[in-house]
Amino acid sequence: MSVQVKEISTKPFDGQKPGTSGLRKRVKVFQQEHYTENFVQAIFDSIDAKGQTIVIGGDGRYFSPEAVQTILKIGSANGVGKFIIGKDGILSTPAASNVIRKYKAYGGILLTASHNPGGPNNDFGIKYNVSNGGPAPENVTDKIFKLTKEITSYKTLEHPPVDLSKIGPTKYGPAEVEIIDSVKDYVELLEGIFDFDLIKNFLQSTPEFKVLFDGLHGVTGPYATAILVDTLGLSTSSTQNCIPLPDFGGGHPDPNLTYAHSLVEVVEKNNIQFGAASDGDGDRNMIYGKGAFVTPSDSVAIIADWAQESIPYFKSGIKGLARSMPTSAAIDYVAKKKGLEYFEVPTGWKFFGNLMDAGRLSICGEESFGTGSDHIREKDGIWAVVAWLNILAAANRKSPNKLVGINEILLDHYEKYGRSFFSRYDYEEVSSEAATKMVDALNAHIAKGSLVGEKYSASTGESFTVSETTNFDYTDPIDKSVSKNQGQIVRFADGSRVVFRLSGTGSQGATVRMYVEKYTKDKTQYGQETAEGLKGLIEVALTISKLKEFLGVEKPTVITVSYTSSSSTIDDLTGFYDSEYLFQVP
């Protein structure tokens, strides 16, 4: 079949700057004539993909099938030699990272807006990953953005659409196309990492230990079913909402106590010992059992503590540990006790990738429900869920007469390392102008040092004296690149800290995140509710930042907390904040 390459005239669109996880906008923005084509052409103009292999996949959200065909048209016209595409255009972000690495592809284009809602009136995203399987570094995304501002035309190849539902090879003009099973390679990867025999034996021999995974109608449903049901032998009742839908069933596919209430409610009602959820594209996770929510900060620290003794992949040792700057220091204490190198990096998984490629990092995490290791170069929700099952199976092998659950693992960890009380407040889709004014005011205090030495009193009777203020900058130890203005930090004399950060993961407006952390080795506080432990510090953080006044809001959109109790209810978990700060789960 003869094919024709056409060059289409176009003009630049404002605002096509990729954030930490690609370009995210409303679907209707991407549907504008030439908009998606411009950005895809800018990607191919930024890389040298002639004759190379490019992976395409995504979370299956609305507008994905059309975008896949657009990438095929433009990629083929620009000389791509081969495309590897997940069946129906679907690959979770971790699975795509694995496919890029396994088949030594040049890179990959992922169609996802991660945990953001989907559907015709919601979000879409395009993200480029490089040959190590990780997100494109800033020098690549900066080049893409520069070219979007200069573009005058794009190339396209006229060709009938590829049937994305048919596994196997085909041709697209001069390019080869391979449609692959979206799940198979990823399941094989995890089977080589974890002790599936140990997990299966534990689950089969302990029927009272119930498991429930909630896919939130995101991409991970088929992956969870393949692992929990097909491989580990659990019943189909161990999964729910595991059919991927273009609009995620009308929900918000973000695994936290607010948006994963479908999991929380069933876990509490049915006394389920182990519950878990993942997000739209599969790179985030939440671990939650009856009366026990694990913060992401605690989760990665616990995985790091147990990894070498319980997970086969780490038997030969841990290279190093790392966390994003806003994440609590819980993993730091594990690293110090084990004599491991550890790193504090800006938010964005690409910063972990450099350390992994240099052989200095094994396990890492972000407080935004992202956890992972050097098996791929993306955070990995299903990996974290199976890691917890592996740890619980190993813990119960050591405790044959008493069932060990999430609470026992948490309290044991606090006994060894102390406890980092941690909470995050998200203020979503607030005025960008107001958010910028708040950050500017904080930066002015930092520049003058005007907060240092100031003492603030809270209604709890506690007082907090500011010991240091800083704007977090990071020099990459591998490539020496510098990332500035990564978040405002206020430290207090007792070791507590508060972090403020503007997030770039939304499609409109701004998201302000406030992180509050307090460390203790007082054993009487290990079972204390986070709300109680942090109430005074949260009051002080709001006073210092004048957040309510700047943003014009009374309550956050989402609150992330940890909670341990043997007799809690859903109302306990979401309603124990003082009414001034309360945000009820819908």
Side-chain angles (χ1 to χ4, degrees):
M1 178 189 297
S2 62
V3 292
Q4 182 181 1
V5 174
K6 291 184 176 180
E7 192 148 339
I8 309 296
S9 295
T10 188
K11 294 180 180 179
F13 288 86
D14 291 335
Q16 289 193 325
K17 180 175 176 60
T20 55
S21 297
L23 179 69
R24 294 181 186 173
K25 302 287 183 182
R26 294 297 198 202
V27 166
K28 286 179 172 23
V29 174
F30 278 99
Q31 288 175 325
Q32 295 176 88
E33 187 179 20
H34 305 315
Y35 188 92
T36 299
E37 290 84 352
N38 277 21
F39 189 72
V40 173
Q41 182 66 57
I43 292 175
F44 286 114
D45 284 343
S46 302
I47 61 178
D48 184 14
K50 289 183 175 64
Q52 301 285 0
T53 297
I54 295 291
V55 173
I56 305 175
D59 56 19
R61 68 179 55 233
Y62 191 88
F63 192 62
S64 292
E66 297 91 331
V68 172
Q69 302 295 340
T70 296
I71 294 165
L72 284 170
K73 285 175 179 288
I74 295 176
S76 297
N78 282 274
V80 172
K82 181 177 181 179
F83 296 95
I84 298 175
I85 308 174
K87 182 177 179 290
D88 299 317
I90 285 179
L91 280 173
S92 73
T93 293
S97 181
N98 176 52
V99 169
I100 292 169
R101 294 169 64 81
K102 180 175 181 177
Y103 296 105
K104 296 179 170 55
Y106 183 79
I109 299 178
L110 281 61
L111 306 173
T112 176
S114 189
H115 56 292
N116 294 357
N121 298 313
N122 285 308
D123 294 357
F124 188 74
I126 300 178
K127 169 184 173 182
Y128 181 68
N129 279 28
V130 293
S131 59
N132 74 347
E138 287 180 353
N139 65 321
V140 175
T141 56
D142 287 347
K143 188 175 182 182
I144 293 171
F145 180 46
K146 179 177 182 292
L147 291 170
T148 66
K149 295 186 288 185
E150 302 169 354
I151 191 168
T152 59
S153 66
Y154 60 85
K155 296 177 182 176
T156 183
L157 188 147
E158 295 299 314
H159 195 282
V162 168
D163 185 350
L164 301 175
S165 68
K166 195 173 293 184
I167 291 177
T170 187
K171 295 284 287 185
Y172 194 94
E176 297 178 36
V177 175
E178 183 81 24
I179 309 294
I180 64 170
D181 185 307
S182 304
V183 175
K184 181 173 177 289
D185 290 317
Y186 180 78
V187 173
E188 289 176 357
L189 173 70
L190 293 201
E191 286 177 328
I193 292 174
F194 298 107
D195 192 340
F196 273 46
D197 288 338
L198 176 66
I199 300 170
K200 185 173 184 177
N201 181 64
F202 166 62
L203 294 175
Q204 296 293 329
S205 64
T206 319
E208 67 271 24
F209 189 89
K210 292 187 263 184
V211 172
L212 180 64
F213 177 87
D214 193 328
L216 301 179
H217 289 300
V219 75
T220 55
Y223 297 87
T225 300
I227 292 168
L228 296 176
V229 179
D230 300 340
T231 304
L232 297 176
L234 294 177
S235 71
T236 55
S237 64
S238 64
T239 63
Q240 67 178 23
N241 300 323
C242 278
I243 297 174
L245 297 174
D247 66 348
F248 307 113
H252 191 145
D254 194 354
N256 57 48
L257 290 173
T258 299
Y259 297 126
H261 58 91
S262 56
L263 172 75
V264 174
E265 289 165 359
V266 177
V267 165
E268 292 298 333
K269 179 182 177 182
N270 296 338
N271 296 315
I272 291 170
Q273 283 73 28
F274 183 85
S278 188
D279 68 329
D281 70 325
D283 63 356
R284 300 186 181 206
N285 74 95
M286 178 175 79
I287 305 299
Y288 179 93
K290 171 71 174 178
F293 167 63
V294 186
T295 66
S297 301
D298 282 346
S299 182
V300 68
I302 288 167
I303 292 172
D305 187 39
W306 281 83
Q308 189 168 0
E309 73 170 279
S310 64
I311 299 174
Y313 181 83
F314 300 107
K315 288 294 184 186
S316 60
I318 305 294
K319 298 166 190 169
L321 303 174
R323 61 175 173 86
S324 65
M325 180 274 289
T327 304
S328 94
I331 196 171
D332 298 8
Y333 298 108
V334 176
K336 291 173 185 176
K337 190 164 186 175
K338 293 181 179 292
L340 298 171
E341 187 176 28
Y342 62 99
F343 304 89
E344 180 184 46
V345 308
T347 298
W349 209 259
K350 57 194 172 188
F351 297 103
F352 295 129
N354 273 0
L355 295 166
M356 291 174 180
D357 288 344
R360 294 175 67 179
L361 176 61
S362 291
I363 297 170
C364 54
E366 296 178 335
E367 49 66 40
S368 54
F369 294 86
T371 321
S373 84
D374 60 351
H375 66 294
I376 56 172
R377 296 298 182 267
E378 289 277 8
K379 52 197 170 194
D380 190 344
I382 296 290
W383 175 91
V385 172
V386 180
W388 265 89
L389 288 173
N390 202 149
I391 289 166
L392 285 161
N396 279 280
R397 180 172 56 185
K398 293 164 60 176
S399 178
N401 299 317
K402 182 183 178 183
L403 183 64
V404 176
I406 292 174
N407 267 326
E408 287 75 22
I409 295 288
L410 282 170
L411 292 173
D412 177 69
H413 188 82
Y414 300 155
E415 288 285 339
K416 289 167 67 176
Y417 296 104
R419 180 177 179 187
S420 294
F421 286 97
F422 181 84
S423 184
R424 185 183 96 194
Y425 277 29
D426 291 4
Y427 298 84
E428 298 176 349
E429 296 191 354
V430 298
S431 162
S432 296
E433 182 182 0
T436 300
K437 286 181 178 178
M438 188 196 84
V439 170
D440 287 346
L442 286 168
N443 282 335
H445 281 303
I446 291 169
K448 297 174 185 174
S450 53
L451 293 175
V452 176
E454 291 292 314
K455 185 176 181 179
Y456 295 86
S457 299
S459 65
T460 57
E462 299 169 285
S463 61
F464 298 88
T465 302
V466 177
S467 60
E468 180 189 13
T469 57
T470 185
N471 196 325
F472 182 65
D473 296 338
Y474 176 73
T475 300
D476 192 296
I478 309 305
D479 64 15
K480 307 305 177 186
S481 61
V482 178
S483 300
K484 291 185 173 294
N485 303 316
Q486 296 296 307
Q488 292 71 35
I489 306 172
V490 180
R491 300 187 192 279
F492 299 90
D494 67 348
S496 302
R497 70 168 187 160
V498 180
V499 176
F500 300 91
R501 184 174 172 270
L502 274 174
S503 172
T505 60
S507 65
Q508 66 178 26
T511 295
V512 173
R513 293 196 166 107
M514 180 178 81
Y515 312 84
V516 187
E517 177 182 5
K518 185 174 79 171
Y519 176 74
T520 183
K521 294 204 77 172
D522 180 352
K523 294 184 179 182
T524 64
Q525 296 184 31
Y526 291 168
Q528 189 178 35
E529 296 172 4
T530 297
E532 184 182 347
L534 288 178
K535 185 172 185 287
L537 186 56
I538 290 168
E539 289 179 11
V540 168
L542 292 170
T543 298
I544 289 174
S545 64
K546 296 184 178 177
L547 183 147
K548 291 183 179 182
E549 293 86 341
F550 276 112
L551 303 186
V553 296
E554 282 299 312
K555 301 174 184 176
T557 315
V558 180
I559 296 172
T560 302
V561 296
S562 63
Y563 185 76
T564 56
S565 170
S566 59
S567 59
S568 63
T569 69
I570 179 63
D571 292 326
D572 294 327
L573 288 161
T574 59
F576 51 59
Y577 273 88
D578 181 277
S579 60
E580 185 177 1
Y581 308 118
L582 173 64
F583 181 79
Q584 291 280 5
V585 169

